[in-house]
């Protein structure tokens, strides 16, 4: 029986690569994007794998769209939820030029929204076989690793996300649900830039291998794409 994955932020980058690899390997893929009309690459992927991929419009910051997605899914269980959608915010923002509303937007997308989506879809995850929830975090959210400063908006949103993952891993352990924070590496995406060290294919291939072998003991961990555990 084919397994089911739901992925946010599939219009490009890692989300698109996740959708491709899981569809290629026979999974049922529910691929979400904020604007499907302009997600040409994702539409092309659906045309290539029409039996495997279902597209959904989802702005993770809108509770109404989260509820609508839950209704559309009907009685489907979700083996793996990948909270991939993220927002870096304006780059080059230094202390002295910070703005409350811009910070709020980054926190909304990177921390609040993945938790709210997980809360809405949790019964589907708990009813599945794999019972796995992955949050795409970032090494820059590690307090121990921060030796460069700056990056206030994005760093803090990922640090907070890591705390969410830790709490969820404890709260959901009784149901056998595994929850993990993943650093995808410095990948060649719109956010990572062309000078990044690895391709989206390399990143996603490694992350999928990690998720495939994830144990209950690793639930709540902050894990690098190469399998090493990262410091909080």
């Amino acid at each position: 029986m084919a397994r089911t994955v739901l992925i946010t932020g599939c219009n490009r980058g890692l989300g698109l690569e996740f959708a491709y690899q899981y569809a290629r390997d026979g999974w049922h893929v529910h691929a979400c994007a904020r604007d499907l009309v302009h997600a040409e690459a994702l539409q092309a992927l659906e045309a290539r794998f029409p039996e495997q991929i279902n597209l959904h419009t989802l702005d993770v910051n809108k509770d109404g769209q989260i509820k609508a997605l839950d209704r559309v899914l009907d009685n489907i269980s979700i083996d793996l939820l990948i909270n991939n959608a993220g927002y870096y915010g304006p780059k080059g923002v230094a202390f002295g030029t910070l703005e409350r509303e811009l910070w709020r937007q980054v926190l909304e997308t990177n921390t609040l929204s993945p938790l709210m989506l997980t809360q809405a879809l949790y019964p589907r995850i708990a009813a599945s076989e794999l019972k796995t929830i992955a949050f795409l975090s970032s090494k820059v959210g590690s307090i121990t690793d921060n030796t460069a400063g700056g990056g206030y908006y994005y760093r803090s949103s990922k640090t907070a996300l890591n705390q969410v993952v830790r709490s969820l891993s404890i709260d959901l352990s009784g149901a056998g649900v595994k929850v993990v924070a993943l650093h995808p590496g410095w990948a060649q995406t719109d956010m990572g830039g062309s000078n990044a060290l690895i391709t989206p294919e390399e990143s996603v291939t490694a992350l999928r291998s990690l998720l495939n072998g994830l144990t209950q003991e690793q639930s709540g961990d902050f894990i690098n794409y190469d399998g090493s555990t990262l410091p909080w």
Side-chain angles (χ1 to χ4, degrees):
M1 185 175 181
R3 289 170 172 168
T4 299
V5 58
L6 188 142
I7 311 160
T8 63
C10 289
N11 58 309
R12 59 189 178 190
L14 298 180
L16 184 66
E17 183 66 24
F18 269 121
Y20 162 66
Q21 290 197 23
Y22 277 113
R24 177 199 65 195
D25 291 350
W27 284 54
H28 291 309
V29 178
H30 292 273
C32 304
R34 183 174 56 181
D35 181 6
L36 288 178
V37 174
H38 296 98
E40 290 88 356
L42 184 56
Q43 291 182 38
L45 191 63
E46 181 199 29
R48 183 176 173 185
F49 298 100
E51 300 300 317
Q52 304 303 131
I53 296 180
N54 293 94
L55 301 186
H56 304 278
T57 298
L58 177 66
D59 183 336
V60 294
N61 293 334
K62 295 184 177 179
D63 289 338
Q65 291 192 16
I66 290 176
K67 291 177 182 178
L69 171 64
D70 188 43
R71 288 195 299 270
V72 168
L73 291 173
D74 196 25
N75 62 348
I76 295 171
S77 61
I78 298 171
D79 288 285
L80 171 60
L81 170 61
I82 301 178
N83 285 294
N84 167 74
Y87 175 51
Y88 188 87
K91 295 186 178 181
V93 177
F95 179 72
T97 62
L98 302 173
E99 297 181 38
R100 184 186 300 271
E101 185 54 37
L102 293 177
W103 192 7
R104 193 192 308 275
Q105 291 171 16
V106 177
L107 286 167
E108 186 84 30
T109 302
N110 295 347
T111 310
L112 278 68
S113 292
L115 177 57
M116 298 309 293
L117 178 64
T118 299
Q119 181 174 260
L121 299 183
Y122 171 70
R124 303 177 182 281
I125 299 160
S128 74
E129 181 181 350
L130 293 185
K131 303 184 181 187
T132 303
I133 308 170
F135 292 80
L136 268 290
S137 185
S138 173
K139 191 177 180 181
V140 301
S142 167
I143 294 174
T144 302
D145 189 67
N146 184 0
T147 59
Y152 291 95
Y153 300 157
Y154 192 69
R155 281 188 189 278
S156 62
S157 72
K158 293 301 185 180
T159 303
L161 179 66
N162 289 348
Q163 187 70 281
V164 164
V165 168
R166 191 66 172 175
S167 285
L168 279 176
S169 72
I170 296 167
D171 293 343
L172 307 185
S173 61
V177 175
K178 299 184 289 290
V179 188
V180 67
L182 301 174
H183 171 57
W186 187 17
Q188 296 163 8
T189 63
D190 286 355
M191 186 180 295
S194 59
N195 294 324
L197 299 178
I198 60 175
T199 65
E201 179 184 4
E202 290 171 325
S203 174
V204 169
T205 298
L207 292 173
R208 287 188 61 214
S209 177
L210 190 160
L211 287 169
N212 186 54
L214 194 69
T215 66
Q216 194 68 50
E217 289 70 31
Q218 290 174 296
S219 186
D221 285 355
F222 183 19
I223 308 176
N224 194 14
Y225 76 101
D226 65 4
S228 61
T229 300
L230 293 170
W232 297 114

